[in-house]
Amino acid sequence: NENLIYNNFVPTSGDAVKEHMTRFIEKTKKMSMMGIASFVVIALLLISSIDQTINSICRCNNKRSRIQAFTIYWTILSL
């Protein structure tokens, strides 16, 4: 339930977050296929950047293969 998430995880700004998310979802319904593809690519690049930054902060030297990284990023995006 949306209200459970907004009330418990973001209680101080739940209404504002809910309003922005609702507006965002309404706008995505009007996106073209090119817009959706661009959105997915940008989201994957953002997740990749976050992953690289976290690995840099933690000084992790183990590198994942591109297929393994893509699978993880796609799973995160799907969730």
Side-chain angles (χ1 to χ4, degrees), residues 21-75:
M21 290 298 292
T22 303
R23 214 173 334 149
F24 176 77
I25 291 168
E26 288 298 320
K27 288 182 180 181
T28 57
K29 291 179 183 177
K30 301 175 188 172
M31 289 176 66
S32 65
M33 287 304 288
M34 188 62 156
I36 292 170
S38 298
F39 182 73
V40 169
V41 169
I42 290 169
L44 289 172
L45 289 171
L46 176 63
I47 294 168
S48 173
S49 177
I50 292 169
D51 181 48
Q52 290 173 2
T53 302
I54 290 172
N55 286 340
S56 175
I57 291 170
C58 296
R59 297 184 180 133
C60 180
N61 295 326
N62 298 338
K63 299 291 180 189
R64 293 184 196 94
S65 68
R66 291 195 185 267
I67 294 173
Q68 185 181 20
F70 176 79
T71 304
I72 292 169
Y73 301 158
W74 189 262
T75 303

